[in-house]
Amino acid sequence: AQKITQTQPGMFVQEKEAVTLDCTYDTSDPSYGLFWYKQPSSGEMIFLIYQGSYDQQNATEGRYSLNFQKARKSANLVISASQLGDSAMYFCAMIVMIYNQGGKLIFGQGTELSVKP
Amino acid sequence: DTEVTQTPKHLVMGMTNKKSLKCEQHMGHRAMYWYKQKAKKPPELMFVYSYEKLSINESVPSRFSPECPNSSLLNLHLHALQPEDSALYLCASSQDKSVPAYEQYFGPGTRLTVT
């Protein structure tokens, strides 16, 4: 069964330091997409970064990079130079394709990141 | 413009009321989604619309009734809700539901309280 696992319920990081949020996934489908979303306390889910299963290179978007290790089925998010505004809940998610229905986004349990000044 | 709007932002309703949540996007996306999210939990998919037709219903109780009047609008009609239905309701859209590469863009959500 397809599944996303985030094993860190909460994390702390010092401002300006880098932090890695862990995500492992399980799927037998050769074609899939992995996403990271940020959810501040206001509630909106903000798309951060995407990695496709066939992408040869790790995705990067500004201060965000995705450490994609396909053989280990992991897709960790790295945030460089943390800022106070990075304090939020972070969700790892995967698109799973359902026959005749299309894609369905499944989420991990989330990691709450707190950035200390 | 990568914006999905939702109204209202907050809604308090009694168990006998009928209300509707509204979602709008003008990105030309052909897939739209409703999610329910409890505090400190991940969003749970409720419904998927593709090209204005209901594509996925995740066994949601009939007191939740989705509607897609056109490609830009998605409504969620609420009737006879229970207190446990209190949650953040998120709307999202994507270019197409059938391609794993297309990210979903989320609205700010409606915080629903059922009294």
Side-chain angles (χ1 to χ4, degrees):
Chain A
Q2 288 104 340
K3 191 178 177 184
I4 291 275
T5 303
Q6 293 180 254
T7 56
Q8 305 153 313
M11 286 196 69
F12 289 92
V13 64
Q14 205 68 36
E15 193 178 9
K16 298 181 186 174
E17 290 186 352
V19 62
T20 297
L21 306 183
D22 293 342
C23 172
T24 56
Y25 61 93
D26 190 16
T27 181
S28 55
D29 195 331
S31 176
Y32 52 89
L34 295 158
F35 302 81
W36 277 92
Y37 285 87
K38 170 186 178 182
Q39 188 175 38
S41 55
S42 58
E44 184 170 1
M45 296 281 283
I46 301 165
F47 164 71
L48 295 178
I49 197 166
Y50 162 80
Q51 181 83 44
S53 57
Y54 296 118
D55 293 344
Q56 296 295 315
Q57 293 190 324
N58 287 343
T60 60
E61 289 286 348
R63 294 187 299 112
Y64 305 108
S65 61
L66 203 152
N67 184 0
F68 182 47
Q69 297 188 35
K70 197 169 181 178
R72 300 173 87 176
K73 293 190 173 178
S74 76
N76 299 338
L77 177 71
V78 180
I79 305 174
S80 63
S82 298
Q83 301 172 355
L84 296 178
D86 293 335
S87 294
M89 182 73 89
Y90 288 80
F91 289 101
C92 181
M94 177 170 64
I95 285 273
V96 296
M97 304 306 290
I98 313 283
Y99 175 73
N100 237 16
Q101 291 184 329
K104 178 177 161 178
L105 196 61
I106 60 170
F107 290 86
Q109 290 300 305
T111 295
E112 188 159 19
L113 178 67
S114 298
V115 180
K116 295 186 197 176
Chain B
D1 182 14
T2 56
E3 190 178 62
V4 177
T5 59
Q6 287 187 247
T7 54
K9 282 190 170 27
H10 300 273
L11 178 62
V12 179
M13 60 185 289
M15 289 190 283
T16 58
N17 291 157
K18 283 185 183 181
K19 296 285 184 184
S20 297
L21 309 184
K22 181 179 170 181
C23 173
E24 198 163 2
Q25 58 88 12
H26 294 288
M27 296 177 276
H29 288 173
R30 304 318 300 261
M32 295 186 76
Y33 311 79
W34 280 115
Y35 291 86
K36 174 183 176 181
Q37 187 180 24
K38 291 284 206 179
K40 304 288 188 186
K41 295 289 185 185
E44 297 174 359
L45 182 66
M46 299 174 73
F47 303 104
V48 179
Y49 271 83
S50 177
Y51 291 85
E52 299 157 50
K53 291 187 179 175
L54 185 63
S55 170
I56 297 177
N57 177 343
E58 292 286 278
S59 304
V60 178
S62 60
R63 58 185 184 269
F64 295 91
S65 175
E67 179 198 19
C68 190
N70 60 57
S71 59
S72 301
L73 268 177
L74 186 66
N75 297 322
L76 186 62
H77 303 298
L78 315 172
H79 173 54
L81 294 193
Q82 304 296 311
E84 59 265 28
D85 297 322
S86 298
L88 179 68
Y89 288 83
L90 292 162
C91 174
S93 71
S94 68
Q95 283 187 307
D96 192 300
K97 70 174 176 68
S98 299
V99 178
Y102 290 144
E103 63 268 29
Q104 293 183 20
Y105 292 93
F106 284 79
T110 294
R111 289 195 187 274
L112 174 67
T113 304
V114 182
T115 60

